[in-house]
């Protein structure tokens, strides 16, 4: 991470090598935004995603441009704002049940957020509940899959993929176990059911009339699990860490939740009124952007700041580095939710869900999921860092994990205040590409926190 941040001092376009592969790093948010939006037709996903496609299938997370657009149109109705509102009602129930069952003392935040995010995605999107064993498999497999495909993509020679190294064995086992769970999810769904899987099973291409086969549906379900469970769990873990570090902010959010709900249960419309929580989540997505490294490949000649790139050139960009640009963000290493009060950050400089034609299809779902879960936690528990806790960024996976995190929870007395229904939605720059983050569908074909 520090290395990627340091490249900005060398210019907006920096050439480096990954083994023998030359790669051009874009260190300017404006150039990255141009690549993803205005000039998106000149690029495809890079060699890392070529490798991921071979290993994980051709879902939205890894799909080539033609497949991505076709499948996105089939999946899009599942994320219409009315459907997201229905999902949010289920998320509220699940979060309430799960968080209220915790016990005082040490909390494995990464595990709990992984379990809860997995429950949310499988129940809301797939209308099925996993067994305890299946849930444990998914929570264990998703990080291993993300770590494994990045490592394999960076091997200097493909023959290393066949060597029985521990990392290869863990990855192969994780992919096998994850596909087994997903196959079970797909097998239990019928086209007439009301969920994402049934929608995929019933969907037909408007031009050819063709539908998806079982393998294609499985690939899409894997993509949605990677997006809706793993990246959300990672972000929530970092948010709990920051709240534990800032007890005064934690108290503010607790009071806000109580004010908005009147001390009662959270409602779907309340999500948009949790302004202070929205600021804290936005700042978490900035400072701890989960997907820290992404790639594209040039397919038409393009010029960036005087550097001409020919077809086949590989481009790398880091959202984590862009979101810590001191030219855009004052004191960028500081966790400061107040920076989002005025809404002055250019939307071209902040894109945690990506932008353009690969924008995260489940942005509204993910946002509501994380707000609801965080609100449920702070309403019931005081988060405290345990003595000796020293958190470090662990970027060995496709997502940046909070290594060394140790949190304890203690119950808090319920806050009883009159219900405030006059609050307005937070003005936060999650609204990139003119898409409302609250309960609006993503209306453009688009990658994201989840499908990058």
């Amino acid at each position: 991470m520090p290395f990627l941040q340091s490249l900005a001092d060398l210019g907006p376009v920096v050439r480096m090598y990954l083994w023998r592969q030359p790669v051009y790093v874009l260190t300017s948010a404006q150039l990255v935004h141009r690549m993803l939006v205005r000039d998106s037709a000149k690029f495809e996903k890079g060699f890392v995603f070529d490798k991921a496609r071979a290993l994980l299938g051709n879902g939205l997370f890894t799909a080539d441009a033609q497949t991505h657009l076709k499948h996105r149109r089939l999946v899009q109705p599942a994320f219409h704002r009315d459907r997201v509102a229905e999902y949010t009602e289920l998320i509220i129930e699940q979060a309430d049940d799960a968080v209220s069952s915790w016990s005082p003392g040490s909390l494995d935040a990464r595990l709990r957020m992984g379990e809860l995010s997995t429950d949310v995605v499988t129940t809301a999107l797939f209308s099925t509940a996993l067994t305890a064993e299946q849930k444990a498999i998914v929570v264990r497999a998703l990080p291993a899959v993300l770590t494994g495909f990045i490592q394999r993509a960076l091997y200097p020679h493909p023959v290393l993929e066949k060597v029985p190294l521990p990392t290869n064995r863990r990855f192969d086992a994780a992919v096998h176990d994850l596909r087994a769970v997903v196959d079970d999810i797909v097998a239990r769904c019928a086209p007439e059911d009301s969920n994402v899987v049934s929608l995929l099973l019933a969907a037909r291409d408007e031009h050819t009339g063709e539908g998806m086969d079982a393998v294609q549906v499985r690939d899409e379900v894997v993509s949605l699990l990677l997006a809706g469970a793993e990246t959300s769990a990672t972000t929530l873990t970092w948010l709990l860490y920051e709240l534990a570090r800032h007890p005064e902010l934690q108290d503010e959010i607790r009071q806000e939740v109580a004010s908005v709900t009147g001390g009662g249960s959270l409602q779907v419309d309340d999500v948009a009124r949790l302004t202070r929580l929205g600021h804290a989540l936005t700042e978490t997505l900035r400072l701890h952007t989960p997907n820290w490294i992404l790639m594209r490949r040039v397919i038409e000649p393009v010029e960036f700041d005087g550097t001409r790139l020919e077809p086949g050139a590989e481009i790398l960009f880091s959202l984590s580095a862009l979101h810590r640009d001191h030219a855009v963000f004052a004191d960028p290493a500081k966790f400061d939710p107040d920076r989002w009060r005025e809404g002055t950050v250019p939307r071209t400089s902040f894109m945690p869900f990506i932008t353009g034609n690969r924008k995260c299809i489940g942005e509204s779902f993910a946002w509501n999921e994380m707000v609801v879960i965080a609100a449920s936690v702070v309403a019931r528990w005081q988060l405290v860092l345990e003595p000796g806790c020293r958190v470090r960024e662990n970027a060995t996976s496709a997502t940046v994990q909070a290594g060394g995190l140790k949190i304890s929870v203690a119950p808090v007395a319920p806050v009883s205040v009159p219900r405030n229904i006059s609050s307005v939605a937070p003005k936060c720059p999650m609204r990139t590409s003119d898409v409302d983050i609250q309960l609006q569908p993503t209306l453009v074909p688009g990658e994201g926190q989840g499908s990058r």
Side-chain angles (χ1 to χ4, degrees), residues 131-152:
T131 66
E133 180 181 2
Q134 287 178 319
K135 183 164 59 178
I137 288 172
V138 172
V139 172
R140 181 178 66 248
L142 288 178
V145 167
L146 287 171
T147 300
F149 98 77
I150 285 290
Q151 290 176 339
R152 287 200 180 189

Side-chain angles (χ1 to χ4, degrees), residues 375-449:
S376 297
V377 172
V378 297
R380 292 170 176 79
W381 300 100
Q382 182 73 33
L383 302 163
V384 180
L385 291 180
E386 295 185 356
C389 171
R390 298 189 182 279
V391 174
R392 64 188 181 280
E393 292 181 330
N394 185 347
T396 59
S397 171
T399 56
V400 183
Q401 300 298 319
L405 178 59
K406 296 180 180 179
I407 286 181
S408 289
V409 296
V412 296
V415 180
S416 180
V417 295
R419 182 178 177 85
N420 178 7
I421 60 173
S422 63
S423 301
V424 296
K427 293 181 179 179
C428 90
M430 300 290 296
R431 295 175 182 174
T432 55
S433 298
D434 296 325
V435 177
D436 192 323
I437 61 165
Q438 304 305 330
L439 292 176
Q440 298 296 322
T442 306
L443 297 178
V444 295
E447 178 171 346
Q449 200 211 12

Side-chain angles (χ1 to χ4, degrees), residues 99 102 105-107 109 113 236-251 253-254 373-386 405-412:
V99 173
W102 292 356
S106 294
L107 177 78
M113 292 302 98
L236 282 165
T237 302
W238 280 112
L239 177 58
L240 297 190
Y241 163 67
E242 292 294 355
L243 293 178
R245 286 181 62 213
H246 299 88
E248 70 291 341
L249 174 64
Q250 195 178 155
D251 290 340
I253 293 173
R254 186 174 296 113
I373 291 174
S376 297
V377 172
V378 297
R380 292 170 176 79
W381 300 100
Q382 182 73 33
L383 302 163
V384 180
L385 291 180
E386 295 185 356
L405 178 59
K406 296 180 180 179
I407 286 181
S408 289
V409 296
V412 296

